[in-house]
């Protein structure tokens, strides 16, 4: 579809034919229909329409208009479903981009974006019956807002980059600002100032948060000023309520939308600003089709609508900070050393120097826990069990066997005959398990693995009189368990709380003076090129849990690799050092942001059927190398194909590295539908993930 041509048709020519994507069939095709005379004035881009298809009536979405069509015997559109389209033309174009970029059908993308509706709701929430909100926009000839100050002179003097934000907002430039800061209140002041300015100009704002807890925090602050002018899409919202709020937005009843990743699609007519809080969060990546990343979609929407985008994070994604260094983004650094930070002590424990190599808790951490309990303080022990993948480690020198090609740790596996082997989950390379460390020659090399249950058992043996609770998904049996565990800890009825990432969401750290990070290595050595970044971000979040420091506190990090750049950066809380080392590694090994990665997974109940389809897919990809219109790419996992059992299915995975993603995708999609319908079905499933955040 040529958007430029279609816009010309909309503005200057009669709309004779509509390009329609059928929403009730999984076709990645556009169908042409005639527009009856009585519908020509009412039909628009994004309109849902009732159309005849294969002898039945079905629903489609209008994605373009034509003055002529080469298709013969075209049928008429029967009726328009909504009084006003649920999507704006800009959002329709955005869904087309998502379909092309993330290798997903346009039908699936539109169905994901359009809120679910029932016929009974269409009349009940009739758009025409709702009066629009009174605009706060100044008259067109009033240019007083051009000279209006967003930030005070004192604020700009303290943080000169605020002037850049002010200029971008005033001039409505399509520019991305990365706000880097550990002070949430300072970030919030910037958000509020920019939102006020945007609303005063008669424009609208979208604010995204990664999860419910951060959404609630933002909502509490925004509602104080904008309660009657905003809608909130939280995770508890049902389809009916979502549709109601969508209609309010579509009719300009409200000018602010706050929500999680899917709120990036809300259909504002005059969008003026997008804000993404904690842009580095992996929760902005949708794991279901169309598998988009809300941050990347926001970048594209800001470009399409020519508006500013504000990203913020204490520990930005490597891709975003790379864009700062490439002068694509503007950085505003709000980080400031607080006076009370001297009260926070950060200690790194080198586990290779522990006398007992099999101990989970080091002697120093054990002593620190004893001191805290003696002083009537609380202790939090953090172990991210859910991110664990078994790998080999030498407890003498800390060496971990890695793939020579991918630089990711080799995963420890037992085959059907219970024989141990090491496998690279990226390229499939295998290696033998040896009894001797390749680096130091020690025989102290073994698989490293532990969970919160094992940790709890060890802690109970050490501290028999302490009240100990565990907070992870396995410990939550009843609906009320989560709230009850947090309440008991807050009251002081729990001395030691052991947990995974869940402890970061609601734990009251006021009376906590010790956080113990049991094993930084379980995260650091995931078979994933992002493992260093994920480790630094997650453990930085654990450390920043001590936001308000009124007495001495300590964070103890146990690791077999104290010299790793992530661990060094964590101790010093130095993001710049971490980024510099990480980006050097990425460039050397050709990982994002220097290339794109596409993860392809085939799942099926029958091992041979999965293998056959994998071989066909490999031959299909190899055929693209001969296509002059395709981009060059590197395929990983085809030579040393690994099939492993995942629950009840057999699974095989491939990775594609490609620099020119747009060119590759165009070539890949040429015969993709035919391949999909011929070789894949409900029993043998194919999933494609562009720019994945999880490699396994």
């Amino acid at each position: 579809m040529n958007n430029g041509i279609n816009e010309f048709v909309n503005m200057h020519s009669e709309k004779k034919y509509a390009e329609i994507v059928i929403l009730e069939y999984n076709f990645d095709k556009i169908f042409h229909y005639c527009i009856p005379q009585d519908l020509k004035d009412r039909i628009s881009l994004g309109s849902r329409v009732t159309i005849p298809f294969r002898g039945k009536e079905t629903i489609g979405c209008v994605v373009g208009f034509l003055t002529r069509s080469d298709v013969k015997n075209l049928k008429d559109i029967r009726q328009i479903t909504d009084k006003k389209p649920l999507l704006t033309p800009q959002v329709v174009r955005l869904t087309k981009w998502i379909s092309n970029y993330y290798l997903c059908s346009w039908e699936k993308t539109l169905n994901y974006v359009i809120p679910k509706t029932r016929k009974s709701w269409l009349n009940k929430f009739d758009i025409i019956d709702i009066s629009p909100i009174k605009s706060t926009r100044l008259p067109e000839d009033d240019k007083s807002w051009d000279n209006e100050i967003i930030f005070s002179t004192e604020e700009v003097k303290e943080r000169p980059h605020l002037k850049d934000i002010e200029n971008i907002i005033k001039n409505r430039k399509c520019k991305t600002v990365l706000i880097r800061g550990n002070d949430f209140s300072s970030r919030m002041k910037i958000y509020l100032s920019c939102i006020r300015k945007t609303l005063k100009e008669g424009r609208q704002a979208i604010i995204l948060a990664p999860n419910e807890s951060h959404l609630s925090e933002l909502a509490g602050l925004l509602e104080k000023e904008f309660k009657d002018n905003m809608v909130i899409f939280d995770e508890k919202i049902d389809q009916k309520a979502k549709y109601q709020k969508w209609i309010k937005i579509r009719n300009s009843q409200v000018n602010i939308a706050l929500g999680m990743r899917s709120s990036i699609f809300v259909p504002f007519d005059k969008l003026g600003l997008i804000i993404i809080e904690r842009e580095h969060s992996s929760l902005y990546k949708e794991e279901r089709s169309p598998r988009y990343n809300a941050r990347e979609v926001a970048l594209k929407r800001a470009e399409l609508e020519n508006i500013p985008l504000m990203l913020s994070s204490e520990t930005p994604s490597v891709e975003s900070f790379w864009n700062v260094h490439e002068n694509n983004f503007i950085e505003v650094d709000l980080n400031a050393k607080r006076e009370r930070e001297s009260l926070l002590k950060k200690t790194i424990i080198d586990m290779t120097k522990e006398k007992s190599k099999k101990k989970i808790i080091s002697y120093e951490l054990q002593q620190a826990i004893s001191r805290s309990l003696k002083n009537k303080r609380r202790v939090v022990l953090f172990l991210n069990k859910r991110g664990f993948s078994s790998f080999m480690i030498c407890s003498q020198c800390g060496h971990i066997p890695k793939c020579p090609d991918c630089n990711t740790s080799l995963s420890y596996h037992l085959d059907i005959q219970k024989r141990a082997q090491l496998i690279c989950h990226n390229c499939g390379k295998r290696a033998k398990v040896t009894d001797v460390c390749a680096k130091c020659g020690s025989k102290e090399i073994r698989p490293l693995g532990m969970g919160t249950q094992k940790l709890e058992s060890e802690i109970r043996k050490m501290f028999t009189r302490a009240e100990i609770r565990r907070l992870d998904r396995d410990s939550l049996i009843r609906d009320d368990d989560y709230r009850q565990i947090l309440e008991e800890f807050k009251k002081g009825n729990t001395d030691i709380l052991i947990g995974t990432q869940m402890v970061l969401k609601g734990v009251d750290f006021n009376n906590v003076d010790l956080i113990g990070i049991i094993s930084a290595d379980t995260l650091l050595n995931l078979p994933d090129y992002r493992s260093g970044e994920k480790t630094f971000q997650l453990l930085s979040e654990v450390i920043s849990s001590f936001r308000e420091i009124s007495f001495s506190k300590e964070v103890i990090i146990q690791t077999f690799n104290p010299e790793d750049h992530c661990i060094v950066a964590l101790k010093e809380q130095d993001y710049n050092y971490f980024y510099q080392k990480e980006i050097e590694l990425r460039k050397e090994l050709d990982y994002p942001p220097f290339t794109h990665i596409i993860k392809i997974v085939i799942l099926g109940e029958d091992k041979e059927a999965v293998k056959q389809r994998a071989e066909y897919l490999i031959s299909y990809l190899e055929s693209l190398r001969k296509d002059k219109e395709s981009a060059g790419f590197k395929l990983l996992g085809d030579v040393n194909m690994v099939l492993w059992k995942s629950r009840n299915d057999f699974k095989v995975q491939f990775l594609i590295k490609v620099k020119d993603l747009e060119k590759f995708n165009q070539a890949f999609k040429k015969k993709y539908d035919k391949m999909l319908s011929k070789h894949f079905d409900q029993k043998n499933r194919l999933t494609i993930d562009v720019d994945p955040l999880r490699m396994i």
Side-chain angles (χ1 to χ4, degrees):
M1 184 182 78
N2 188 318
N3 285 332
I5 292 173
N6 289 331
E7 285 177 34
F8 184 84
V9 170
N10 289 341
M11 294 169 60
H12 302 285
S13 305
E14 184 184 3
K15 294 182 278 191
K16 289 186 177 180
Y17 307 102
E19 292 182 304
I20 293 174
V21 172
I22 295 176
L23 299 176
E24 296 177 359
Y25 293 86
N26 189 18
F27 295 135
D28 199 13
K29 293 179 181 177
I30 294 172
F31 295 86
H32 294 180
Y33 281 83
C34 292
I35 306 172
Q37 194 64 38
D38 61 326
L39 298 182
K40 285 184 179 179
D41 292 335
R42 291 167 46 210
I43 198 165
S44 305
L45 273 179
S47 291
R48 288 188 302 172
V49 291
T50 303
I51 49 175
F53 185 76
R54 293 183 176 176
K56 297 179 181 179
E57 281 196 346
T58 188
I59 301 293
C61 180
V62 177
V63 296
F65 296 107
L66 301 166
T67 54
R68 62 184 183 83
S69 173
D70 296 329
V71 183
K72 295 180 180 179
N73 302 319
L74 291 178
K75 296 176 182 177
D76 283 356
I77 294 170
R78 297 273 169 87
Q79 64 181 45
I80 298 172
T81 306
D82 310 288
K83 294 288 178 71
K84 191 174 182 180
L86 291 180
L87 304 181
T88 64
Q90 290 87 347
V91 174
V92 172
R93 294 182 189 106
L94 186 65
T95 60
K96 179 59 176 172
W97 176 83
I98 290 170
S99 171
N100 290 334
Y101 188 94
Y102 290 101
L103 291 171
C104 176
S105 70
W106 204 353
E107 169 269 330
K108 277 191 177 178
T109 308
L110 286 166
N111 271 317
Y112 180 93
V113 172
I114 297 170
K116 303 290 183 292
T117 55
R118 294 180 183 174
K119 286 184 180 179
S120 59
W121 302 349
L122 297 178
N123 294 325
K124 192 172 182 180
F125 309 121
D126 195 323
I127 292 178
I128 291 176
D129 293 339
I130 305 172
S131 56
I133 196 167
K134 188 177 179 181
S135 175
T136 56
R137 185 181 176 85
L138 296 167
E140 288 295 325
D141 58 350
D142 187 344
K143 299 296 181 183
S144 61
W145 57 267
D146 281 335
N147 300 315
E148 188 179 324
I149 295 171
I150 299 176
F151 303 108
S152 67
T153 307
E154 290 76 18
E155 287 174 320
V156 173
K157 189 176 181 181
E158 186 181 346
R159 296 188 173 109
H161 280 300
L162 291 180
K163 195 68 182 174
D164 293 328
I165 296 179
E166 189 168 283
N167 290 334
I168 290 165
I169 298 295
K170 278 184 177 181
N171 300 325
R172 301 179 209 160
K173 290 181 180 178
C174 174
K175 196 71 182 175
T176 301
V177 178
L178 177 65
I179 301 172
R180 186 157 66 99
N182 51 23
D183 187 351
F184 176 72
S185 61
S186 295
R187 298 203 302 270
M188 199 66 208
K189 283 180 183 177
I190 293 174
Y191 297 163
L192 289 170
S193 297
C194 293
I195 291 168
R196 289 186 197 110
K197 179 67 176 173
T198 301
L199 298 189
K200 199 162 188 178
E201 293 176 15
R203 299 174 79 80
Q204 299 141 337
I206 295 172
I207 303 108
L208 299 187
N211 56 36
E212 188 66 24
S213 60
H214 292 107
L215 184 74
S216 299
E217 190 174 18
L218 282 168
L221 294 167
L222 289 168
E223 283 185 320
K224 290 177 183 177
E225 187 170 344
F226 306 112
K227 188 174 183 180
D228 297 328
N229 196 15
M230 66 183 287
V231 289
I232 301 170
F233 295 91
D234 57 31
E235 63 182 11
K236 296 173 185 174
I237 193 169
D238 59 30
Q239 291 298 333
K240 187 176 181 180
K242 183 178 180 180
Y243 178 70
Q244 281 180 283
K245 291 180 179 184
W246 198 272
I247 295 299
K248 288 183 80 173
I249 288 170
R250 200 67 191 94
N251 196 55
S252 303
Q253 278 284 289
V254 291
N255 291 316
I256 299 172
L258 171 64
M260 288 175 278
R261 60 176 173 254
S262 63
S263 297
I264 190 60
F265 301 111
V266 296
F268 279 129
D269 275 318
K270 297 177 181 177
L271 187 61
L273 176 67
I274 301 172
I275 296 171
I276 301 185
E277 168 70 2
R278 299 176 62 80
E279 62 83 29
H280 68 273
S281 174
S282 62
L283 295 174
Y284 285 121
K285 175 72 172 177
E286 174 60 84
E287 295 298 337
R288 299 171 299 151
S289 187
R291 296 185 175 83
Y292 66 93
N293 188 318
R295 184 187 67 222
E296 301 307 310
V297 173
L299 281 163
K300 189 63 183 180
R301 185 164 187 185
E303 178 193 315
L304 289 171
E305 309 225 20
N306 196 29
I307 59 169
L309 168 64
M310 297 176 71
L311 308 174
S312 77
S313 175
E314 293 181 30
T315 52
S317 62
V318 169
E319 288 86 350
S320 291
F321 207 59
W322 178 78
N323 272 303
V324 168
H325 283 262
E326 293 294 302
N327 296 318
N328 298 323
F329 295 177
I330 292 173
E331 182 194 11
V332 175
D333 191 350
L334 301 181
N335 284 313
K337 288 279 184 183
R338 300 176 189 171
E339 292 178 15
R340 288 183 288 180
E341 274 201 358
S342 59
L343 294 170
L344 179 60
K345 180 184 176 185
K346 295 183 281 289
T347 305
I348 306 296
I349 305 295
D350 184 352
M351 295 298 284
T352 64
K353 294 180 180 177
E354 287 294 302
K355 290 181 180 179
S356 173
K357 304 299 181 186
K358 294 182 180 179
K359 280 181 69 176
I360 296 175
I361 302 294
S362 63
Y363 175 76
E364 193 166 341
L365 178 55
Q366 188 175 344
Q367 292 296 103
I369 294 171
S370 296
R371 284 195 301 271
S372 293
L373 296 178
K374 189 177 179 180
N375 295 330
K376 305 295 182 186
R377 298 290 188 186
R378 311 277 86 80
V379 175
V380 172
L381 300 179
F382 178 84
L383 177 64
N384 200 45
K385 181 188 70 171
R386 292 186 65 79
F388 170 71
S389 178
S390 188
F391 55 92
M392 299 287 288
I393 188 166
C394 175
S395 55
Q396 196 68 38
C397 71
H399 172 68
I400 294 160
K402 292 190 175 185
C403 174
D405 296 332
C406 306
N407 198 44
T408 56
S409 61
L410 295 168
S411 292
Y412 179 84
H413 281 268
L414 293 174
D415 62 18
I416 298 170
Q417 283 80 36
K418 302 293 182 183
R419 291 175 303 194
Q421 59 179 329
L422 299 176
I423 298 176
C424 175
H425 278 293
N426 286 349
C427 69
K429 188 160 286 186
R430 289 172 168 83
K432 289 182 180 179
V433 175
T434 59
D435 297 329
V436 178
C437 174
K439 186 177 180 182
C440 72
S442 166
K443 291 186 177 181
E444 296 289 335
I445 187 163
R446 67 184 193 278
L448 180 69
M450 71 181 83
T452 48
Q453 289 180 341
K454 186 178 179 182
L455 175 60
E456 181 187 11
S457 175
E458 290 293 315
I459 293 295
R460 287 191 183 280
K461 290 175 187 175
M462 289 179 180
F463 304 99
T464 53
R465 295 183 180 181
E467 286 295 327
I468 300 165
R469 293 297 299 268
R470 179 164 52 88
L471 181 59
D472 58 19
R473 290 193 180 178
D474 297 331
S475 66
L476 304 180
I477 300 168
R478 297 183 301 272
D479 292 341
D480 199 40
D481 282 351
Y482 179 68
R483 185 199 61 78
Q484 192 177 341
I485 291 171
L486 293 181
E487 193 64 33
E488 289 295 309
F489 189 72
K490 187 176 182 179
K491 288 178 180 177
N493 297 334
T494 302
D495 299 313
I496 302 172
L497 182 63
I498 298 166
T500 58
Q501 247 173 300
M502 295 182 80
V503 301
L504 302 178
K505 293 180 181 178
V507 170
D508 185 345
F509 286 91
N510 283 333
N511 201 32
V512 175
D513 75 342
L514 174 65
I515 290 180
I517 296 168
I518 303 304
S519 175
D521 303 296
T522 54
L523 276 170
L524 199 55
N525 292 290
L526 286 171
D528 189 330
Y529 75 92
R530 293 183 189 272
S531 61
E533 180 181 8
K534 289 175 181 177
T535 301
F536 183 80
Q537 288 168 343
L538 180 60
L539 298 189
S540 291
E541 189 177 351
V542 174
I543 293 169
S544 70
S545 299
F546 283 177
R547 277 182 183 170
E548 297 301 322
I549 303 172
S550 54
F551 54 87
S552 295
K553 300 191 177 192
E554 185 174 13
V555 176
I556 294 179
I557 302 172
Q558 297 187 157
T559 177
F560 284 95
N561 292 277
E563 301 303 318
D564 188 283
H565 69 278
C566 298
I567 304 299
V568 174
L570 269 170
K571 185 181 180 183
E572 302 302 324
Q573 285 292 275
D574 188 345
Y575 176 84
N576 289 324
Y577 174 81
F578 160 75
Y579 170 79
Q580 207 55 52
K581 295 293 183 181
E582 187 70 17
I583 205 71
E584 286 170 11
L585 270 175
R586 300 269 185 104
K587 189 173 185 179
E588 181 186 342
L589 297 162
D590 197 27
Y591 280 124
F594 302 102
T595 192
H596 289 278
I597 288 179
I598 303 172
K599 182 173 77 173
I600 300 178
V601 176
I602 300 172
L603 280 168
E605 296 175 6
D606 183 75
K607 186 177 180 180
E608 276 306 308
V610 170
K611 188 178 179 182
Q612 285 173 10
R613 281 154 179 79
E615 288 168 350
Y616 179 82
L617 181 67
I618 291 169
S619 67
Y620 177 72
L621 289 168
E622 288 301 327
S623 71
L624 295 183
R625 297 190 192 279
K626 301 169 187 174
D627 188 339
K628 292 179 181 179
E629 294 181 13
S630 179
F633 64 93
K634 185 178 181 181
L635 179 61
L636 302 175
D638 56 327
V639 177
N640 302 293
M641 195 191 299
V642 178
L643 278 91
W644 69 91
K645 200 79 182 282
S646 176
R647 294 179 183 172
N648 296 322
D649 289 320
F650 286 94
K651 176 180 177 181
V652 65
Q653 175 176 301
F654 305 106
L655 296 181
I656 296 170
K657 283 185 176 181
V658 59
K659 294 193 184 295
D660 191 340
L661 183 67
E662 184 180 354
K663 193 175 180 182
F664 174 84
N665 285 359
Q666 284 175 355
F668 183 84
K669 286 189 87 172
K670 281 181 185 177
K671 297 178 182 178
Y672 175 61
D673 276 350
K674 188 177 178 181
M675 178 190 71
L676 202 62
S677 60
K678 187 177 179 181
H679 295 278
F680 296 94
D681 49 34
Q682 290 297 317
K683 289 185 178 180
N684 296 284
R685 303 178 301 282
L686 175 71
T687 62
I688 298 176
D689 192 354
V690 177
D691 297 338
L693 292 188
R694 295 178 183 175
M695 302 304 288
I696 56 169

